[in-house]
Amino acid sequence: MGPATEKDWIKARPFGKWCEGYPAAIAMDCEMCQSKCPETGVVNNKALCRISVVNADNPEEILLDTLVKPDWPVTDYRTFVNGIKKEHLEGVTFTFAHAQQFMMALCSEETVVIGHAINNDLMTLKMEHHCVVDSAFLFKYKEPHAHMTPSLANVALGVLGREMPDTHDSVNDSRQSLYVLEEYVKNNGVVEPVQYFPKKRYGNSRDAERACEVFLHRIPHKCKEEHLTAMFLSHTYVQPKDVPIIDFSRGDRGRCPVIFHTPQHALLAYETLETEEYVGNFGVRQKKVFLRDGDYICLKRPGVKF
């Protein structure tokens, strides 16, 4: 069985006696990897590989924390982000369908679902839910980064004084999104902007990965990961190795690193684009790729030296 189709989206049932004793609010976070259908070659960049849910009234109570077996073979575990390796998923029997069944059994349509950029988690679960609180929209960065949506790590550091680990932990992420929300409520929504701190680098291995990336931003919501792959193929004839999940947590526009097989491939793809290079914010050289409707996507020049 492959990733859920449109008909496989779930929606919580109306509130009733069946859920009167259940938590009124939960906090959750998901970890994703990339999988690929061995028959069709279709890639799922949002394959669920871990889900964590905690009780918002008692964050120490973990309602669910489990690894999830993707329906298709994994082609990129994204270990540098989620800490999950191949051996961790061996023998796992909990599936995507089980995760959906758990959420349907736990949540009514009135259950408050809390998280940071929770839209990404709900999209991964293919769950339609409207009673949500997203901490990504409640805080802002100090200038000159006020136009960006702050990361959970920066919010937790600025609001709670807590430094989060480099590798994601979905239980911890669930709790931190709840804790920063509690601070927001305690202060009646009057909170100071937080300081922007760039993501920590992940050592030589991660540096090498970054050299193979062309970073895209200002991606319209209508664009999917497969559209970005097609864009590079049609404009440059250079095949990307991977297009991770597009991050739309910062507003109407998304951002995403497109990964190539080598630094040379990344630079070739960028330089082959027949569009004028310009200097953007912070002195970064980049290009624009215009879409058919007149909209455009920005691509930052990869920092590669031959």
Side-chain angles (χ1 to χ4, degrees), residues 11-258:
K11 188 174 183 180
R13 294 174 286 167
F15 180 84
K17 290 186 177 180
W18 67 271
C19 61
E20 285 181 348
Y22 293 0
I26 60 173
M28 66 172 294
D29 184 62
C30 296
E31 301 295 347
M32 287 80 87
C33 62
Q34 181 193 77
S35 65
K36 183 176 182 180
C37 176
E39 297 179 359
T40 65
V42 173
V43 174
N44 180 14
N45 284 301
K46 303 175 182 177
L48 182 67
C49 58
R50 183 181 177 184
I51 178 173
S52 301
V53 183
V54 302
N55 186 345
D57 290 327
N58 177 20
E60 293 303 311
E61 181 184 359
I62 301 174
L63 302 174
L64 178 69
D65 178 35
T66 181
L67 294 171
V68 181
K69 179 183 178 181
D71 294 318
W72 292 340
V74 176
T75 49
D76 185 354
Y77 288 88
R78 296 179 182 146
T79 306
F80 70 90
V81 175
N82 56 41
I84 298 172
K85 300 179 180 180
K86 178 181 179 180
E87 54 267 32
H88 294 150
L89 293 181
E90 292 177 352
V92 173
T93 58
F94 193 92
T95 67
F96 175 83
H98 292 142
Q100 285 192 321
Q101 291 167 11
F102 175 85
M103 295 301 291
M104 287 291 292
L106 176 68
C107 299
S108 78
E109 60 186 9
E110 296 182 22
T111 303
V112 181
V113 178
I114 300 164
H116 195 83
I118 193 67
N119 59 300
N120 291 325
D121 305 289
L122 293 174
M123 185 177 296
T124 297
L125 280 168
K126 288 191 176 291
M127 180 177 183
E128 179 184 348
H129 198 71
H130 302 284
C131 192
V132 301
V133 179
D134 195 331
S135 56
F137 291 95
L138 301 180
F139 299 89
K140 294 182 178 180
Y141 277 133
K142 296 179 180 179
E143 294 291 355
H145 303 285
H147 63 287
M148 299 167 56
T149 300
S151 68
L152 180 58
N154 282 335
V155 173
L157 182 61
V159 176
L160 306 173
R162 299 174 184 172
E163 186 168 351
M164 296 181 64
D166 296 338
T167 303
H168 289 196
D169 177 338
S170 47
V171 170
N172 184 53
D173 289 359
S174 300
R175 288 170 173 161
Q176 298 309 316
S177 65
L178 177 62
Y179 295 149
V180 298
L181 171 62
E182 290 174 344
E183 287 295 314
Y184 182 89
V185 173
K186 185 171 68 176
N187 290 282
N188 296 316
V190 181
V191 289
E192 293 292 325
V194 299
Q195 182 67 47
Y196 169 78
F197 294 101
K199 292 182 179 180
K200 294 181 179 179
R201 301 185 74 84
Y202 293 85
N204 293 335
S205 174
R206 180 56 183 146
D207 291 347
E209 290 181 3
R210 289 182 186 276
C212 298
E213 298 174 354
V214 176
F215 188 81
L216 278 60
H217 60 106
R218 205 186 177 279
I219 304 172
H221 254 292
K222 61 189 174 187
C223 285
K224 308 298 182 184
E225 290 81 7
E226 57 267 27
H227 296 153
L228 300 182
T229 297
M231 179 187 75
F232 277 101
L233 285 175
S234 63
H235 286 278
T236 73
Y237 300 101
V238 181
Q239 172 75 53
K241 178 183 178 182
D242 179 29
V243 180
I245 300 168
I246 301 173
D247 178 12
F248 286 105
S249 65
R250 299 169 184 261
D252 293 336
R253 299 291 175 164
R255 55 214 315 266
C256 173
V258 175

Side-chain angles (χ1 to χ4, degrees), residues 213-215 266-267 270-271 277-278 284-287 298-304 306:
E213 298 174 354
V214 176
F215 188 81
L267 187 59
Y270 177 84
E271 292 188 335
E277 187 178 60
Y278 69 98
V284 177
R285 289 187 290 172
Q286 49 192 314
K287 291 183 176 182
C298 295
L299 302 84
K300 294 185 179 179
R301 181 183 181 88
V304 180
F306 286 92

